[in-house]
Amino acid sequence: MKKGFSIMAVAMLTILNVGVAVAQDANEAAVESQGFHQILKDYFIKGGPGFMGIVLLCLILGLAICIERIIYLNMATTNNKKLLANVENALATGGVEAAKEVARNTKGPVASIFYQGLDRMDEGVDNAEKAVVAYGGVQMGQLERNVSWISLFIAIAPMLGFMGTVIGMIQAFTQIQAAGTLDASLIAGSIQVALLTTVFGLIVGIILQIFYNYIIAKIDSIVNDMEDSSISLIDLLVRYKK
C-alpha cells in the first residue's frame, strides 16, 4: 500500500511539474486572466447557492471523515511480525503476564486482540481462541466506523448536482414558454447554471471516491494482517501449553 501511495505521489508531482511548465509558457495570458480561486468562486455563485452549497457541504464532511479515517488507519498499522516475536519471547521468559504487558504497551488492533487472547489463557486455549475471534470482530467494526457516510456522500453529491440541472432546465423551458419564442440567448444562462451543478457534483463524487477506495484498501490490508496474526497467536499459545 505504501509503495502504491508513493507511485501515486510521484505521478501527481509529475503532473504538477507539467502544469507548471505549461503555466510558464502561457504567462502573458495568465496575467490578464482571473485567478483560479476567483474563477471557481464565480462558477460557484453562478451555480446557485442552494444546491451548490449542499454539494460543498457533502465535500467538506466527506473529506473530514476521510482524513480522520486515514489518520486512524495509519496509526492502527503496526509491525505485526515484530509484535509476535516480542510476545513469543515474553512467553518464553516471563510467562503469560509478561506477554500481556507487551501487548498492553503496543498500539493497534492486533495488539488489542493479542491481549484479549492472552487474558483468557487461564481458561484454556479454546476460550482464548473464542476471545480472539470475538474481539477481532469488534476491532473490524472500529476500522470501518463512519466509512458508510463517505459512500453516502459519494452517492448524493452527483444526485444533488443532477437535481440542480433538472431544476435549471425546467426554469429554462419556463422562460421559453413565457417569451413565446425560442431564443438561445434567453435560455443560455439558465442552461449554464444547470450544468454547473452537475459538474460540481461529479467532481465532489470523484474526489471522495478516490479517498474511499484508498480507505477500503487500507482496511482490507489491516484485516488480513489481523487474521494472519490471530492464527499465529493461537499456534503460539498451543505450543506454549504443551
Side-chain angles (χ1 to χ4, degrees):
M1 180 59 66
K2 292 182 179 179
K3 182 179 179 181
F5 191 74
S6 300
I7 294 174
M8 184 184 299
V10 172
M12 291 178 65
L13 288 175
T14 303
I15 294 173
L16 288 175
N17 289 333
V18 173
V20 170
V22 173
Q24 291 175 347
D25 293 338
N27 186 37
E28 295 181 357
V31 171
E32 298 178 356
S33 64
Q34 293 178 313
F36 175 75
H37 67 282
Q38 185 62 39
I39 295 175
L40 186 63
K41 179 181 178 181
D42 291 341
Y43 279 131
F44 182 85
I45 295 174
K46 289 179 181 180
F51 283 98
M52 297 288 275
I54 298 174
V55 176
L56 179 61
L57 181 62
C58 291
L59 175 62
I60 294 173
L61 294 177
L63 286 178
I65 296 174
C66 288
I67 293 172
E68 185 272 334
R69 283 292 88 190
I70 290 173
I71 294 173
Y72 179 86
L73 293 174
N74 285 330
M75 293 180 63
T77 304
T78 57
N79 190 338
N80 298 325
K81 293 182 179 179
K82 181 179 179 181
L83 173 61
L84 186 64
N86 291 338
V87 170
E88 185 175 4
N89 292 333
L91 279 174
T93 57
V96 175
E97 291 300 323
K100 287 169 61 177
E101 188 66 22
V102 171
R104 187 186 296 112
N105 295 329
T106 305
K107 296 181 180 180
V110 175
S112 299
I113 293 172
F114 277 21
Y115 180 83
Q116 294 298 323
L118 293 168
D119 194 42
R120 300 296 191 278
M121 267 298 293
D122 56 343
E123 302 174 7
V125 177
D126 291 338
N127 288 330
E129 183 177 0
K130 292 178 181 178
V132 167
V133 173
Y135 203 71
V138 174
Q139 289 298 317
M140 188 180 300
Q142 293 292 327
L143 295 174
E144 296 176 348
R145 186 179 59 185
N146 294 330
V147 174
S148 59
W149 286 103
I150 303 175
S151 60
L152 174 64
F153 293 138
I154 292 173
I156 66 175
M159 293 174 66
L160 289 171
F162 290 143
M163 184 180 295
T165 297
V166 171
I167 293 176
M169 295 300 292
I170 292 174
Q171 292 175 349
F173 283 110
T174 301
Q175 292 176 352
I176 294 174
Q177 184 179 17
T181 181
L182 181 60
D183 188 356
S185 62
L186 182 65
I187 63 173
S190 298
I191 294 177
Q192 181 187 23
V193 170
L195 294 178
L196 284 174
T197 59
T198 296
V199 171
F200 193 60
L202 290 174
I203 291 174
V204 170
I206 291 171
I207 293 173
L208 294 180
Q209 185 68 57
I210 294 173
F211 282 100
Y212 177 80
N213 286 356
Y214 172 78
I215 291 171
I216 291 299
K218 190 71 174 177
I219 292 175
D220 290 340
S221 176
I222 295 175
V223 169
N224 289 334
D225 290 340
M226 287 168 50
E227 293 175 350
D228 184 59
S229 299
S230 298
I231 295 173
S232 299
L233 175 65
I234 298 302
D235 293 339
L236 179 62
L237 295 180
V238 170
R239 292 197 303 269
Y240 174 76
K241 274 296 184 180
K242 292 180 180 180

